Amino acid sequence: MASDTFEKVVSLAKRRGFVYPSSDIYGGFAGFWDYGPLGVEFKNNIKRQWWADMVYAREDVVGLDAAIIMNPQVWEASGHTKAFTDPLVECKICHKRFKADQDEDVKEHEKTHAGKGSWTAPKVFNLLTEVYLGATEPKQKAYLRGEITQGVFVNFANVTSSTRIKVPFGIAQIGKAFRNEVTPGNFTFRSREFEQMELEYFIKPDEKEGKKVFGEWKKARMAWYVGLGIDKKKLRFREHEPEKRAHYARFAEDIEYEAPFGWSEFEGIHHRGDFDLGNHKITYKDEETGEEFTPWVIETSGGVDRAALFFLLDAYHEDGKRIVLKLHPRLAPYKVAVFPLLANKPDLVKKAREIFQTLTANGLMAAWDARGNIGKRYFSQDEIGTPWCVTVDFQSLEDGAVTVRERDSAKQTRVKIEELSSYFSKELS
Ligand code: GAP
């Protein structure tokens, strides 16, 4: 990846409406980001695809959408009020702060001071974000959830008693999490407000079963990213050293992406054992066998914002004069763009409008563009990753066919107008 790709992607993200700094007119707010008209479509497509593959495609997984703010006792029991911390060190020379456990960043920074590091002793900060509720003093202290996960654990009994699901099974959830990060940075990579997409998979407490299920999910999650087009060579697993594991994890591995700022965590696969259900004093009874136990949990925890960032970085290509976002068609904000060859020919515009309306009525997110010349319109759609452009020309009025131009190859094909919807549905399936 070229050294300036990161800056180019950040700039494209703002220029084309993917991601804006939060509260931009007031100078932004560190660690917070807003998703623009294209960003919200892109992020929704990532989440929709995740939900389709993790919930709809599996009989053993159900979904949940828990509240962001929970009874603060949840965070006492889960260990987060004590152990959800980051050790921070400050450079005594320039006062920049770093996470003490990010050895590479620390070493990299020392290079800016001729290799001589002078650091404060690590100081521990809790990452939970406090909120105060109620109108009268003293207000009730609560927390914005630091991981979406606890909402699943505290609903474990509700889910098993209100559905027919039985161990082994999973509960999937997508939602916002908040961390009082002291060093937010690298664009959306480390934010204070972000979204997670997680699966908590409950199994019988058994070492062999735990290893097997952990391995299966590890493989499935890596295959998910590769299947959606991320370059295999830029992905790897990294096992957490015991001293760097989260307080709840018996074992953990990350899926990492080789970002322009170094190999970085994409998603964590965690063996949480009975840490959480045990702390919340939740057990499970198998109604058939009468067996009662505290299930173990294998977790896959991905960041939606990190997925969006890495998909963007990986998709960014320069091809001669054009910039192409080679996003997987299912993730691309617009699936298709429709153009009349000339904007001042009412017959062409009318036909193109009809096609645009039919495609959108069939559930395809379509863009309309009648400005400038056709080459500029293609370039503009390439830059936002639109996989196909449809052009209505004079011949279309005669033969009922249009030109479909494919983004990555720029190859053009004639397709009958009445076959367009099924043509795109086939390509997207
Ligand atoms: N429930 C387990 C859990 O939260 P984690 O490794 O702390 O595990 C999981 O977080 C994922 O959430 C990470 O792999 C990352 O994708 C995302 N994530 C965590 N902190 C983040 C932050 N500050 N900004 C953006 N994404 C973050």
Side-chain angles (χ1 to χ4, degrees), residues 178-219:
F178 301 80
R179 293 186 188 174
N180 195 5
E181 299 279 1
V182 185
T183 58
N186 283 332
F187 195 28
T188 56
F189 177 77
R190 186 171 300 116
S191 308
R192 287 174 164 150
E193 173 179 342
F194 54 95
E195 264 182 299
Q196 295 185 307
M197 39 190 185
E198 290 194 339
L199 173 77
E200 307 305 318
Y201 199 81
F202 301 96
I203 58 169
K204 274 189 170 180
D206 179 274
E207 292 294 346
K208 215 168 136 206
E209 180 71 358
K211 251 193 177 152
K212 184 176 117 286
V213 174
F214 188 95
E216 286 167 359
W217 278 114
K218 208 180 114 173
K219 222 167 118 195

Side-chain angles (χ1 to χ4, degrees), residues 59-312:
E59 255 183 84
D60 56 349
V61 177
V62 292
L64 183 85
D65 183 14
I68 286 175
I69 299 178
M70 293 184 273
N71 187 319
Q73 285 178 57
V74 171
W75 302 105
E76 297 290 341
S78 70
H80 282 75
T81 50
K82 290 215 167 63
F84 192 48
T85 55
D86 261 349
L88 279 159
V89 286
E90 191 173 304
C91 171
K92 286 187 183 167
I93 305 166
C94 68
H95 304 289
K96 242 182 143 174
R97 286 171 171 177
F98 290 85
K99 287 172 84 171
D101 54 1
Q102 307 244 291
D103 309 331
E104 279 172 27
D105 291 355
V106 169
K107 276 195 202 118
E108 203 52 38
H109 182 73
E110 287 181 353
K111 285 187 196 158
T112 63
H113 301 303
K116 286 192 197 93
S118 179
W119 300 97
T120 58
K123 202 172 157 196
V124 166
F125 285 89
N126 193 287
L127 294 168
L128 286 177
T129 313
E130 295 171 5
V131 284
Y132 291 85
L133 305 171
T136 51
E137 298 293 342
K139 291 187 178 171
Q140 189 190 4
K141 182 167 121 179
Y143 305 97
L144 298 178
R145 59 187 177 188
E147 58 167 2
I148 62 172
T149 333
Q150 295 303 321
V152 169
F153 298 138
V154 299
N155 276 296
F156 178 85
N158 285 335
V159 172
T160 48
S161 64
S162 59
T163 68
R164 292 171 56 204
I165 206 104
K166 289 172 61 176
V167 169
F169 76 96
I171 301 180
Q173 187 177 208
I174 299 178
K176 293 261 187 180
F178 301 80
R179 293 186 188 174
N180 195 5
E181 299 279 1
V182 185
T183 58
N186 283 332
F187 195 28
T188 56
F189 177 77
R190 186 171 300 116
S191 308
R192 287 174 164 150
E193 173 179 342
F194 54 95
E195 264 182 299
Q196 295 185 307
M197 39 190 185
E198 290 194 339
L199 173 77
E200 307 305 318
Y201 199 81
F202 301 96
I203 58 169
K204 274 189 170 180
D206 179 274
E207 292 294 346
K208 215 168 136 206
E209 180 71 358
K211 251 193 177 152
K212 184 176 117 286
V213 174
F214 188 95
E216 286 167 359
W217 278 114
K218 208 180 114 173
K219 222 167 118 195
R221 293 306 303 145
M222 180 64 99
W224 193 78
Y225 291 110
V226 174
L228 286 171
I230 295 263
D231 182 356
K232 235 180 177 167
K233 295 192 289 297
K234 294 222 168 88
L235 291 169
R236 71 176 187 191
F237 288 112
R238 191 183 61 82
E239 194 179 316
H240 286 207
E241 297 93 344
E243 66 281 6
K244 289 191 181 167
R245 278 179 209 147
H247 64 280
Y248 49 72
R250 282 167 61 111
F251 186 72
E253 280 192 56
D254 286 340
I255 297 178
E256 291 191 332
Y257 179 74
E258 192 179 15
F261 44 86
W263 284 96
S264 311
E265 179 186 342
F266 211 143
E267 167 154 346
I269 325 287
H270 307 134
H271 186 329
R272 297 177 76 125
D274 63 2
F275 183 86
D276 303 273
L277 293 189
N279 282 343
H280 294 303
K281 303 192 172 29
I282 294 164
T283 56
Y284 171 81
K285 190 170 178 190
D286 187 318
E287 291 304 334
E288 266 167 44
T289 62
E291 228 184 324
E292 196 166 345
F293 54 87
T294 303
W296 283 3
V297 177
I298 306 297
E299 167 185 76
T300 73
S301 176
V304 180
D305 310 80
R306 281 192 192 173
L309 174 61
F310 293 154
F311 278 126
L312 278 182

